[in-house]
Amino acid sequence: MYAIVRAGGRQEKVSVDDVLNIDRVSDEAGSTVTWEPLLVVDDGKVISEATELNGYQVTAEVIGETKGPKINMLKYKNKTGYKKRLGHRQKYTRVRVTGIAAK
């Protein structure tokens, strides 16, 4: 059984006991996050209608915060001596999916 959920502006394919990084949420470690699924697949049965999906809920436990890979950027203009080095590291929240069930 798996579900497609919208988490932090992206759609993620999740099943029970999956650990994934989503965009940062303000919840603390140990708290529970719930999502409404966009699609549920249960033993080959695909559920995508909104009326049937209202009965399903995906729950996940917040593990903690993590950071993504460092992205290095370099700005350079020819013949002027202008160089600028920039970097960015995105912050994520790590969650473990605990259940996909009917309400």
Side-chain angles (χ1 to χ4, degrees), residues 60-76:
E61 176 190 357
V62 176
I63 297 172
E65 293 183 5
T66 185
K67 294 181 183 177
K70 177 91 172 195
I71 298 172
N72 293 314
M73 297 161 276
L74 181 67
K75 293 183 177 183
Y76 173 77

Side-chain angles (χ1 to χ4, degrees), residues 14-35:
V14 299
S15 57
V16 177
D17 290 332
D18 280 354
V19 176
L20 55 124
N21 295 329
I22 61 171
D23 288 340
R24 194 170 180 193
V25 293
S26 61
D27 296 338
E28 295 179 5
S31 63
T32 303
V33 178
T34 59
W35 296 303

Side-chain angles (χ1 to χ4, degrees), residues 1 3 5-6 9 12 15-16 27 33 37 41-42 47 49 52 57 61 72 74 76 83-85 88 93 98:
M1 173 183 240
V5 295
R6 181 173 291 127
E12 301 279 347
S15 57
V16 177
D27 296 338
V33 178
V41 177
D42 186 12
I47 302 167
E49 292 185 27
E52 294 179 37
Q57 187 173 17
E61 176 190 357
N72 293 314
L74 181 67
Y76 173 77
K83 282 193 241 180
K84 188 172 187 179
R85 188 180 300 256
H88 176 73
T93 300
T98 57

Side-chain angles (χ1 to χ4, degrees), residues 1-5 14 16 32-40 47 52-60 97-103:
M1 173 183 240
Y2 69 89
I4 306 293
V5 295
V14 299
V16 177
T32 303
V33 178
T34 59
W35 296 303
E36 298 295 325
L38 302 173
L39 180 121
V40 174
I47 302 167
E52 294 179 37
L53 286 174
N54 286 336
Y56 283 90
Q57 187 173 17
V58 177
T59 59
V97 178
T98 57
I100 302 171
K103 290 183 186 176

